Amino acid sequence: MIDIDSIRIKPGTEVSLDTFDPQSKAGISSKDAGVELAEGNLEKTEELQSKLWAEKKHALVLVLQGMDTAGKDGTIRKVLSGLNPTGVVVWSFGKPNQEELDHDYLQRIHDKLPQRGRIGVLNRSHYEDVLAVRVHDLVPEPTWSRRYRHINEFERMLTDEGTKIIKCFLHISPEEQLERLRERIEEPGKNWKLSDADFHERKFWPAYTDAFEAVLTRCSTDHAPWHVVPANRKWVRNAVISQILLDALVELDPQYPEGPNDLDELRQLADLD
Ligand code: AMP
Ligand code: MG
């Protein structure tokens, strides 16, 4: 079992990312053990997803944030494969277009959130509005600094209305990012993933670290907690996130609704007697 408590940020904690090791194995003994754990978690998650869908009482939102190459796409591929796709929605949020900018910053996120019964995965999210936006001064400080409060209130409202929110920061080291960018240059099958922006953004690592620390410090709540996921090793990342997802579903404890109570009649109708 992975100790998720130690990577879940307790509300009110001043977070320093230095104290979290991106290379950590999260207490898992080996890669084989990690892969096996993730597979076992996925099987249990599938069963609970089926109940979540049938019950239609709650939605679940998994927020993924991290530096470029941290593994947000890989997580979606590995951790959610095997779930019933009908009940999963995945949205990636890039730079907002003009129409999105003409609304408030939460509107495009709210618009894509899953209905009850579904699992929604946000590959980047409203948090970019206090990350990229803060790092690049896209709006004045008084504008971004009040957004932490908006975000907490928004997530509180969603929770009150039946959406469970879990948030994962995929924590990699700058050395690991460089290695992954190098792979993207060297492996023809990965070239398409490259963009100048990745190299440009890398220069802002310290500013992003400050911005992420502010998010983790100010926006981890009991109802929508942040987790700092060690992500230098992909198998650790997958095992940890599969555990966080499973734990969230276990906590929601979805149940199949009752079927029709005249099963005998239906048996007769189907000539099953
Ligand atoms: P990628 O995930 O590689 O497609 O990159 C998407 C880019 O969009 C990243 O550089 C993000 O920082 C940027 N982005 C996402 N949301 C916002 C936002 N609200 N404001 C500014 N930039 C954003
Ligand atoms: Mg990118």
Side-chain angles (χ1 to χ4, degrees), residues 67-69 72-73 124 181 184 193-195 197-198 201:
M67 300 292 282
D68 289 311
T69 79
K72 300 182 289 293
D73 295 293
R124 303 188 193 270
L181 288 173
R184 289 183 180 187
K193 288 189 184 177
L194 281 168
S195 80
D198 296 339
E201 288 299 88

Side-chain angles (χ1 to χ4, degrees), residues 145-159:
S145 62
R146 61 188 178 218
R147 290 183 174 172
Y148 301 96
R149 174 171 54 81
H150 299 160
I151 289 174
N152 286 339
E153 288 171 2
F154 175 60
E155 293 181 355
R156 175 81 253 177
M157 181 279 288
L158 294 172
T159 306

Side-chain angles (χ1 to χ4, degrees), residues 80-251:
L80 297 148
S81 66
L83 296 189
N84 179 352
T86 308
V88 181
V89 289
V90 180
W91 295 103
S92 300
F93 293 96
K95 287 191 177 59
N97 62 28
Q98 190 55 51
E99 204 218 310
E100 289 168 335
L101 288 170
D102 288 340
H103 284 281
D104 68 83
Y105 66 99
L106 290 173
Q107 197 271 346
R108 66 174 184 158
I109 311 294
H110 203 172
D111 189 46
K112 299 296 188 221
L113 292 181
Q115 292 142 287
R116 295 188 179 88
R118 290 189 154 93
I119 298 175
V121 184
L122 308 189
N123 179 348
R124 303 188 193 270
S125 65
H126 43 301
Y127 283 97
E128 290 293 330
D129 292 282
V130 283
L131 291 165
V133 168
R134 165 173 162 163
V135 167
H136 296 298
D137 295 318
L138 300 181
V139 298
E141 175 165 354
T143 304
W144 61 252
S145 62
R146 61 188 178 218
R147 290 183 174 172
Y148 301 96
R149 174 171 54 81
H150 299 160
I151 289 174
N152 286 339
E153 288 171 2
F154 175 60
E155 293 181 355
R156 175 81 253 177
M157 181 279 288
L158 294 172
T159 306
D160 289 347
E161 293 292 318
T163 295
K164 183 162 183 65
I165 304 166
I166 44 179
K167 302 177 297 203
C168 293
F169 167 63
L170 278 50
H171 186 31
I172 57 167
S173 61
E175 296 76 21
E176 178 64 22
Q177 187 193 51
L178 189 60
E179 190 44 46
R180 292 183 186 185
L181 288 173
R182 199 195 316 275
E183 268 173 34
R184 289 183 180 187
I185 295 175
E186 302 309 332
E187 290 182 29
K190 291 190 174 174
N191 289 169
W192 67 274
K193 288 189 184 177
L194 281 168
S195 80
D196 305 355
D198 296 339
F199 294 92
H200 180 70
E201 288 299 88
R202 195 176 146 71
K203 299 202 188 92
F204 294 89
W205 194 282
Y208 270 108
T209 299
D210 288 349
F212 273 117
E213 288 178 343
V215 160
L216 296 166
T217 298
R218 301 181 66 178
C219 297
S220 194
T221 53
D222 283 327
H223 55 278
W226 271 106
H227 303 80
V228 178
V229 176
N232 271 11
R233 299 171 203 265
K234 294 175 184 171
W235 60 267
V236 173
R237 173 200 79 199
N238 295 340
V240 168
I241 298 180
S242 72
Q243 188 68 51
I244 292 169
L245 184 64
L246 174 61
D247 289 354
L249 280 165
V250 167
E251 208 185 303

